[in-house]
Amino acid sequence: YRGNRFSNGNSVPNPATPDSINNVEGVHLLEPRPGQYLIRVRAQNVPEDARLETQAIDQDFALVISGGFLPAGQSLLYLDRNLYRAPDRVHVGVVDPDQAAASWLRTSIASTTETNRIVLVVFPANANGVFTNSIETATGAPTPDSLLQVSHGDTIEVRYMDASQGVLRTATAKVDLLPPVISGLSISNRFGRAVISWDTDEPADSRVEYGTNTSPAQVSAGTDLVQQHEIALEGLVPGTTYYFRLISTDEAGNSATNDNGG
């Protein structure tokens, strides 16, 4: 995420450019995934040195974080995503400050396809009681290996027993192996711009690659996950034939492509 890049009040993932104008930046995640977040503060330009006690040219800044945080004595089990593919990698995390001195913790993971639970040992990521590990997904019949077998539509469930609280923690995610289905393609001319519209059967992002040959190199894209897509192409030369390719990628990372001439 980058500061001040919002859509409907929520920060947009992977925006193309930062906000290099304002000196107050914000990232708003309305429904953040549980887990660890790394925050980097990088100045666009520091014309004066605000910290004379150091050799580098520095600028002071203030960092404010608000939201729902883990209460003291509580533990948290989380997966890094809501949706997974195959092959893919499922990252499992445990936050349990009461076990900060432990060298490892035990979790187990299963799917609708692989119902026999696989023991997944998680290891310390820092000294504050954060533990992590991962497992790869694969398709096919369940086998006694180190892979988690999944099928489209499966539920992945991971479990962790919080010994100090006597509570079984669970976290779940879904498996999506199918790309979005593109339909309803239309092209219109609005105020001298070509506007390309299409629909997908599930939320996905919007990308149009276009150009004057069959290997289009120009790109116009939107990162919002929506089912009704609209991309305007700027600066087209009247009377010129353009070729374009639609690409929509869902939350799991499955992509659908539609090649067209225009």
Side-chain angles (χ1 to χ4, degrees):
Y1 304 94
R2 295 181 185 270
N4 297 351
R5 291 293 185 253
F6 304 115
S7 175
N8 297 321
N10 204 35
S11 288
V12 176
N14 303 312
T17 59
D19 170 22
S20 58
I21 298 176
N22 297 287
N23 70 332
V24 177
E25 303 285 338
V27 171
H28 299 165
L29 303 178
L30 303 182
E31 296 182 5
R33 291 290 300 169
Q36 298 183 83
Y37 287 79
L38 175 64
I39 300 171
R40 292 190 177 97
V41 179
R42 294 172 172 164
Q44 176 73 16
N45 180 39
V46 182
E48 295 183 16
D49 190 2
R51 303 294 300 274
L52 300 180
E53 70 275 17
T54 65
Q55 293 184 352
I57 298 178
D58 304 311
Q59 177 175 324
D60 281 329
F61 65 90
L63 178 65
V64 178
I65 304 174
S66 63
F69 299 101
L70 195 64
Q74 296 294 312
S75 63
L76 172 70
L77 173 67
Y78 64 91
L79 297 170
D80 65 321
R81 283 155 50 197
N82 293 314
L83 295 168
Y84 294 96
R85 298 181 293 169
D88 206 341
R89 184 167 287 276
V90 180
H91 291 268
V92 176
V94 174
V95 181
D96 193 347
D98 291 344
Q99 301 296 328
S103 57
W104 57 272
L105 297 176
R106 175 190 173 113
T107 71
S108 67
I109 190 168
S111 70
T112 309
T113 297
E114 182 142 15
T115 55
N116 291 328
R117 306 195 69 83
I118 300 172
V119 173
L120 181 65
V121 175
V122 292
F123 299 96
N126 58 37
N128 301 319
V130 178
F131 299 78
T132 61
N133 202 352
S134 65
I135 187 171
E136 291 187 30
T137 61
T139 56
T143 56
D145 55 21
S146 59
L147 302 176
L148 179 66
Q149 306 293 331
V150 297
S151 303
H152 178 69
D154 274 9
T155 296
I156 296 173
E157 183 192 66
V158 60
R159 296 177 182 175
Y160 167 67
M161 174 56 71
D162 183 340
S164 60
Q165 295 290 319
V167 176
L168 179 65
R169 307 290 184 191
T170 62
T172 61
K174 301 293 288 186
V175 176
D176 183 358
L177 305 183
L178 301 179
V181 176
I182 294 176
S183 63
L185 171 64
S186 67
I187 308 172
S188 60
N189 190 322
R190 301 182 196 170
F191 306 104
R193 304 182 304 170
V195 178
I196 302 178
S197 305
W198 70 97
D199 299 326
T200 52
D201 66 336
E202 62 176 315
D205 64 11
S206 315
R207 180 183 176 94
V208 175
E209 299 175 352
Y210 63 101
T212 56
N213 56 54
T214 54
S215 298
Q218 295 174 272
V219 175
S220 183
T223 57
D224 288 358
L225 297 178
V226 296
Q227 291 184 255
Q228 295 180 321
H229 308 262
E230 185 175 281
I231 293 290
L233 306 184
E234 306 280 357
L236 302 185
V237 178
T240 302
T241 298
Y242 286 86
Y243 298 86
F244 63 89
R245 176 183 300 117
L246 308 180
I247 303 173
S248 279
T249 303
D250 64 20
E251 184 180 354
N254 303 302
S255 294
T257 304
N258 188 322
D259 285 281
N260 289 273

